[in-house]
Amino acid sequence: MATDGVAADAYRPLFFDESDLGDAAELARLRADGGVTFRDLRDLLRAEFNGLVSRPQLAETIDSDRWIYYPWRGTVLGLPGPETMRAIRLDRNRNKITRAEQETLARQKIGIVGQSVGHSIAHVLVMEGTCGELRLADFDTVELSNLNRLPGTLFDIGVNKAVVAARRVAELDPYLPVRVFTGGVDGDNVDAFLDGLSLVVEECDSLDIKLTVREAARRRAIPVIMDTSDRGLLDVERFDLEPTRPPFHGLLGDTRSADLRGLTTREKAPHVVRILDAAGFSASMAASLVEVGETISSWPQLGGDVHLGAAIAATAVRQLGLGRKLPSGRTRVDLESCLDAIAEPVPPGEAAWPEADPESAPRSGVAAVLAAAQCAPSGGNAQPWTLRCTDDAIEIALAPERSTVIDIGYRGSALAVGAALYNARVAAAAAGLLGSSRLLTNGAAPLTAVLTLGDGSDPALACDYSAILDRHTNRHFGTGAALDADILAGLARVAEAAGGALRCAVTRSAVTSAADLLGTADRCRYLTPQMHAEMFSELRGPGDDLRTGLDLRSMEFAPYEAATLGIGRRADVMARLRDFDGGEALGSYTRDRVLSSSALVAVTYRVPPPDDGDELAGYARAGEVVQRVWIEAERYGLAVQPVSPAFLFARRPAELSTVSPEFADTLTSLQGRFLDLLEVPEHETMALVLRLSYAADATVRSRRLPVPDADTRG
């Protein structure tokens, strides 16, 4: 049968290569045919390809271009080759389906039996790029009554349903291999249909063919999925995993396909009910089944339900193709039930933050010394120490339970203990209680700082008293204004006087390079599960105990940053980003703030090597240097923010494997480049990295845990 010279069963376009003499002659003949339209889409599509973000590198050249003739359309299209077409067409799938996943799915060969519902499934599979070959089977032709659910047109009436589906697929992806079985599937050709398939989607109306397909699929260990349009029922039979499982989950007992051939609609009814479960029908479907053959010719199906079924089936195909969990069984995606549960969204309310801490009564004596120690800076405001007051001393013991994975060997905690000891000495000097101090590394705690209380004073120390109490972190964006050389020199002198050194990035190019390195290190922190969990466990919001951790307001989030915070804290999102090596934007919080800085400085110290029992004491001494540089920077009117990359406390490459098994090599490289950028000599160890800028005042300051009671002395 032919219509206007086009075979009624034509469903494959014809391909022409202009460089081939025979093809060129045929193209010339088609151009001379007034009934054939030519459209060259190559330049348009190549421009679209060139506009893709992170476009793939393709081996394909213009030699792969083709003129493609759709005889049922009377149109020839000029198109790029299959790789270019696929890259463009599937680009908007990313990253719900990654490129690597797309390549995996493209290896699937899928058969679909029954093209009333199967047509929509085939189209969705091709839209999503979920297969590399399709086989479509249906013996029936399109009737007008089919168009309530089959996405065809009046021009398709009288054409085989499988051919109509194949034509639609070809108009979406002409390069996709499609094979059509216009006689449908039966016992004679089912094995040929299934040969080599990854899975089969069964959507036919005939009960005996349904069972025939399953019996053959079981023999070949091919999974079968089926979607029924009523109440979104998805049925999965994993014959690939369970080759002995009975068809239809055993709901038909010992019934075989031969037993169902030739049955009337009334005779098939008991089997249909057993397969589909009468209790699961919607009320309207159940009522309609009573009327089949009486007031309606067949059971009803709605176009929306069919399209929903296509989405459900396509998702199941994706799960199978990617090796994700999809056991044998059934589930429903019932839209009416979902709509029954519709409810008003709850608008976000204004966060009810507690009032600011009331001004505490002035402290003096030992109480002032303890309070000053508690004001010291620490990573994530963890306050990784315990304070204890004895008759003649104050002990600041490192608390291992407050450590994190970044705090390798408690080095960051030791740094904080050293800063706390400096604060205690300053307060003791101001109160006339200054005695000797020492660092112990052989006690119950990994490190204990001890300040003996005496009756001494030190005017140089005492002059820092108000400064240590006022010291705070400021995470506001900076103005980027240049830092006066005299300020840097003054900060360097303070570091050197305390036994340390300052290594700086001051030029715009150096600050930019540092921002990129630190931003990349922060991305590793987000994408490493333990670091990510610890990072967000530090944040405190309304209703949380604000005496430890970081008050969200102190993060100084820009509106766009606050809006995406809920995404950033999700571990499942980070896992997905890690899967496809994404998340470049994750380091933007740090990167953007460093870019707005006037300078970036690393406070360094000659810390004993890791095997030396005095290493933690060395970090504690470096803590004093950090504290003195910090308060001096604030005297110059600078905003100070510590930016602690994940590699900060690593002193051996192997240590970064404990910090981030996933990104150890990346962090090792970043650390080396960062040390080179700041020209840190090998004999110096970075204690802390500080971002210096001119910025607005901080919104809030971090609070502290209460200090132990102590007798006050004048």
Side-chain angles (χ1 to χ4, degrees), residues 29 96 118 127 218 227 233 263 433 475 497:
R29 186 190 68 76
K96 294 194 80 171
M127 281 198 296
R218 182 173 63 173
D227 181 89
L233 175 66
L263 297 183
L433 298 172
R475 299 180 180 86

Side-chain angles (χ1 to χ4, degrees), residues 503 602 604 674-682 684-686:
R503 304 298 170 185
T604 65
F674 190 76
L675 292 170
D676 288 345
L677 176 68
L678 270 64
E679 299 181 347
V680 177
E682 287 189 8
E684 292 179 9
T685 299
M686 280 196 303

Side-chain angles (χ1 to χ4, degrees), residues 100-113:
E101 290 169 342
Q102 207 83 67
E103 291 175 7
T104 298
L105 293 170
R107 293 193 283 270
Q108 292 195 108
K109 298 180 180 180
I110 299 173
I112 304 176
V113 182

Side-chain angles (χ1 to χ4, degrees), residues 345-384:
V346 179
E350 283 296 320
W353 290 94
E355 294 183 5
D357 279 339
E359 291 293 329
S360 58
R363 300 189 184 191
S364 60
V366 176
V369 177
L370 290 168
Q374 196 76 344
C375 285
S378 58
N381 191 30
Q383 302 160 64

Side-chain angles (χ1 to χ4, degrees), residues 537-553:
S537 70
E538 295 172 352
L539 299 182
R540 302 287 185 269
D544 294 334
D545 184 351
L546 301 179
R547 297 175 302 173
T548 63
L550 304 176
D551 186 319
L552 278 171
R553 294 169 295 178

